[in-house]
Amino acid sequence: MPTPSPIILHHGFMDVFNLRIGTRGFYSFQGLRHSLTSTGNTPIQTRVHPTASIQRRAGQLRKQILKIMRNYPADSRALILAHSMGGLDARYMITHLDMADKISALLTISTPHQGTTYADYALRNMTRLGVSRFFKLLNLDFTAVEDLTLASCQRFNEITPNHPAVRYFSISAACQSNDLPPWSRRPHRIIYKNEGPNDGLVSIRSATFGEHLATWKTTHWKLLTKDLRPSRSDAIVQQYQSCLQTIFSGASAGPR
């Protein structure tokens, strides 16, 4: 399944902890990147501000992709795989930053296209406790939380139509509360009460977008195939490869 064009792996909100120990690593898309490389593809990982606004992150993403594309023929177009908030960055970039001619397709992975109830919950408490004011005093950009609320994403969708020259695909995920570590079970409960099945941060309903390829039984964080032991991510990596084969072939797998 090799493609001559690059595959861009773009991270989401608060993806800041990346570690390498010898030949092993703990970083975003580790398992998927190894698998793509072994099949002759060229995966390239991005790095943008972890907590800034969609608009700011999209601008940073654009600069990185334009730099990457200098190494390819002028008519080359990249495929973007974007996790969580990264999918909103990519959508904004394609529609508003004149990048449709550089992108062939976008696969969003548990992206909160309709927002997430937990962002509303977090923003209320940040405001109530004065955390938002504290961040401003320290000049820390945490605009992402507001951008991921239900109302903000509704406005985002109204002004960000899909570009007709780009194909849009999505993957959603869901798990049981006891599949999650204790610190993420509260978000799961809050989202489930308002939106239904979810992966600990984003609901199936919110993640479904464009051509919905599948709902995977896993957590929001395991979708990143980020593990010190890559074999633990093998099943998810195989699911990614199956979806990519569908995208590259132009066939439709239909929602599952």
Side-chain angles (χ1 to χ4, degrees), residues 132-165:
S132 298
R133 187 166 61 252
F134 178 70
F135 285 153
K136 288 180 180 178
L137 287 172
L138 294 178
N139 199 30
L140 297 176
D141 189 347
F142 244 80
T143 316
V145 177
E146 183 175 353
D147 278 2
L148 295 174
T149 62
L150 302 179
S152 290
C153 284
Q154 181 179 349
R155 291 193 295 271
F156 176 88
N157 289 324
E158 289 171 355
I159 65 169
T160 313
N162 291 350
H163 195 286

Side-chain angles (χ1 to χ4, degrees), residues 75-150:
D75 60 348
S76 295
R77 299 173 71 198
L79 164 65
I80 302 177
L81 274 68
H83 178 253
S84 197
M85 182 184 180
L88 300 177
D89 304 337
R91 286 179 56 197
Y92 186 97
M93 179 194 72
I94 291 166
T95 300
H96 299 292
L97 302 182
D98 194 28
M99 285 290 284
D101 63 333
K102 299 294 183 184
I103 309 300
S104 62
L106 168 63
L107 172 60
T108 62
I109 306 154
S110 193
T111 290
H113 295 284
Q114 307 300 326
T116 173
T117 305
Y118 192 64
D120 290 76
Y121 172 85
L123 185 62
R124 283 197 303 271
N125 283 280
M126 285 170 62
T127 302
R128 179 176 61 86
L129 298 173
V131 176
S132 298
R133 187 166 61 252
F134 178 70
F135 285 153
K136 288 180 180 178
L137 287 172
L138 294 178
N139 199 30
L140 297 176
D141 189 347
F142 244 80
T143 316
V145 177
E146 183 175 353
D147 278 2
L148 295 174
T149 62
L150 302 179

Side-chain angles (χ1 to χ4, degrees), residues 5-243:
S5 298
I7 298 175
I8 309 295
L9 305 177
H10 183 51
H11 67 91
F13 172 73
M14 280 292 289
D15 186 15
V16 294
F17 184 64
N18 292 281
L19 174 69
R20 185 182 295 277
I21 302 175
T23 59
R24 292 186 175 183
F26 186 78
Y27 49 88
S28 301
F29 297 111
Q30 173 188 227
L32 177 59
R33 189 164 68 180
H34 287 169
S35 178
L36 288 170
T37 300
S38 69
T39 54
N41 289 291
T42 309
I44 300 168
Q45 204 151 339
T46 63
R47 180 58 55 192
V48 298
H49 193 293
T51 60
S53 67
I54 294 170
Q55 182 177 1
R56 181 176 175 185
R57 286 166 51 103
Q60 294 172 349
L61 176 62
R62 179 181 185 272
K63 288 181 180 178
Q64 291 176 44
I65 292 179
L66 287 176
K67 184 177 180 180
I68 291 164
M69 297 305 286
R70 290 176 195 159
N71 300 316
Y72 292 84
D75 60 348
S76 295
R77 299 173 71 198
L79 164 65
I80 302 177
L81 274 68
H83 178 253
S84 197
M85 182 184 180
L88 300 177
D89 304 337
R91 286 179 56 197
Y92 186 97
M93 179 194 72
I94 291 166
T95 300
H96 299 292
L97 302 182
D98 194 28
M99 285 290 284
D101 63 333
K102 299 294 183 184
I103 309 300
S104 62
L106 168 63
L107 172 60
T108 62
I109 306 154
S110 193
T111 290
H113 295 284
Q114 307 300 326
T116 173
T117 305
Y118 192 64
D120 290 76
Y121 172 85
L123 185 62
R124 283 197 303 271
N125 283 280
M126 285 170 62
T127 302
R128 179 176 61 86
L129 298 173
V131 176
S132 298
R133 187 166 61 252
F134 178 70
F135 285 153
K136 288 180 180 178
L137 287 172
L138 294 178
N139 199 30
L140 297 176
D141 189 347
F142 244 80
T143 316
V145 177
E146 183 175 353
D147 278 2
L148 295 174
T149 62
L150 302 179
S152 290
C153 284
Q154 181 179 349
R155 291 193 295 271
F156 176 88
N157 289 324
E158 289 171 355
I159 65 169
T160 313
N162 291 350
H163 195 286
V166 177
R167 295 184 298 154
Y168 295 81
F169 302 87
S170 65
I171 293 168
S172 57
C175 63
Q176 299 299 316
S177 179
N178 58 10
D179 295 329
L180 293 159
W183 56 266
S184 62
R185 291 175 185 171
R186 183 173 181 82
H188 184 277
R189 290 194 298 270
I190 291 170
I191 296 167
Y192 192 91
K193 181 179 178 182
N194 292 277
E195 302 176 53
N198 66 88
D199 60 7
L201 208 55
V202 178
S203 68
I204 295 174
R205 184 172 68 187
S206 188
T208 300
F209 181 79
E211 183 176 346
H212 184 231
L213 297 178
T215 296
W216 295 347
K217 294 180 180 179
T218 190
T219 71
H220 193 75
W221 298 274
K222 287 182 179 179
L223 289 165
L224 282 169
T225 65
K226 184 177 186 176
D227 203 299
L228 283 170
R229 290 193 233 171
S231 60
R232 291 183 175 179
S233 299
D234 283 351
I236 296 176
V237 168
Q238 289 175 9
Q239 290 175 302
Y240 273 120
Q241 290 283 19
S242 177
C243 286

